[in-house]
Structures are given as structure tokens and as C-alpha cells.
Amino acid sequence: MRRLLLPLLLVLALGGCGWVGRHDETSKPDGFLLHGYVSVAGAAAGVTGSACLAPSSVRDVYQGGTVRIADSSGRPIAAAELAAGVLAADGGGFDCNFAFEQRNVSSSRATYQISVGSRPATSFATKDLAEGRPAVIPVAAATASSSPS
């Protein structure tokens, strides 16, 4: 019984740190879970936590939309998918937040550029992302302008 306990504990310990199944590698993997959300302002009022859609003026942020992850020079590295929108209260209004995540992102780069839809990329420090801080991409909904008649 004692002979079985030590190998079992070793497998469990190494499995938790990502080493099981990586017998041919010489260093521990440095990947982390990059997570965040696109926060679209101007969502319709409702119950916080319920499903929502981005305002009609924001056509490039929707469930299933692509989030592009690039290095600091803009070279694509990975892509993630937006989850369904979730309503969040924001001061006097509401936002519709679309979560995303990408596993095993390398911590060897200093920054990442993250973009969604046709919008310009936002830069995030890898250190912050690797420590679990979410990548939040704010999007302002266009407001209807009134023209004098």
C-alpha cells in the first residue's frame, strides 16, 4: 500500500502543475488563461445578470464574434470567441458584457494587442493578464444625433 501511495501523490502533484503528459519537454510550460470581456455601453435597462444584446449601433459585437489576440507588433497569435452578452449596471446606465477567454497564452511577451470586430486593438500588459486581471475592452454605442429641421 505504501509503495502505491508515493507514486499516486507524485502523479497528482505533477498533474496539477501541468507536467503530466509532457515528458519530452525540458521546461515547465508558461501558458496562462487570458480572459476578459467586451463591455458595450448603452444597453437597454433590465435585470443585472440577464441576457442582453449590444445596441443596434454596435453591429460588430455579438455572441460568436471573433476576438483577435496579437503580439505587440500586431501579428496574430490566437483568436477567441465572444460568449453571450450579460447585462451589467454601470452607474446610471447599463452595459452589455461579452466574455472571452483563450487558454495557454505565452507569458514570454511583454504585451498583447486584443481587438474585436472592426475596432482598433487595445494593448494589455502580459504581467497583468497572467496575474488574472481581465482584459476589458470598452465600446461606446453611437448615439443618434438630432439635426435641426
Side-chain angles (χ1 to χ4, degrees), residues 34-54:
L34 185 155
H35 70 283
Y37 57 95
V38 178
S39 183
V40 182
V47 177
T48 300
S50 63
C52 62
L53 298 173

Side-chain angles (χ1 to χ4, degrees), residues 31-86:
F32 67 93
L33 173 66
L34 185 155
H35 70 283
Y37 57 95
V38 178
S39 183
V40 182
V47 177
T48 300
S50 63
C52 62
L53 298 173
S56 60
S57 63
V58 180
R59 296 172 191 236
D60 57 350
V61 178
Y62 53 90
Q63 180 179 359
T66 301
V67 176
R68 291 172 305 285
I69 302 165
D71 64 14
S72 59
S73 65
R75 187 177 58 108
I77 294 173
E81 191 173 285
L82 291 174
V86 177

